[in-house]
Amino acid sequence: SELFPPQRQRRHRPLLAAAVFVSALAAAALGLSLAGLGPLGGGNDGVQADSNCKFVTVTRLEQTPVLVNGQMKFRDQPVQRRVKRCS
C-alpha cells in the first residue's frame, strides 16, 4: 500500500456538465419558440404587400453595342423595361 494513492482524473465531468447545460438551453429555446415566444416564435404581425403597386413599361435611351464594319460602336437606342411602381 502506498501512502498517497494516485487520484482518479476527472476530465470527463466538466465536458459532461457542459453538454447537459447546452442541451437544456436548446430544449428551453425550442419550448419557448413552440409557445410563440422568443426569436423563433411566429408573430401575428406579418408583412403585408401593398395592393397599390403595378408594373409599368419605361422607355429609356441606353447605349447599346453595334458592330459596324467589324468594329464595335455604341449607339443611343430606346430600350423598354418593366418596372414596379407603387404609390
Side-chain angles (χ1 to χ4, degrees), residues 29-85:
L30 180 64
L32 286 174
S33 68
L34 289 176
L37 304 173
L40 300 178
N44 291 335
D45 54 344
V47 177
Q48 297 294 326
D50 283 341
S51 60
N52 57 353
C53 294
K54 59 184 176 179
F55 284 94
V56 296
T57 303
V58 176
T59 303
R60 295 183 185 173
L61 284 178
E62 293 184 4
Q63 290 186 346
T64 55
V66 179
L67 281 178
V68 177
N69 295 332
Q71 293 183 345
M72 184 180 301
K73 301 209 177 200
F74 290 93
R75 293 195 177 154
D76 291 333
Q77 291 184 344
V79 176
Q80 292 184 345
R81 304 261 192 251
R82 293 192 42 86
V83 294
K84 186 177 183 180
R85 301 290 172 155

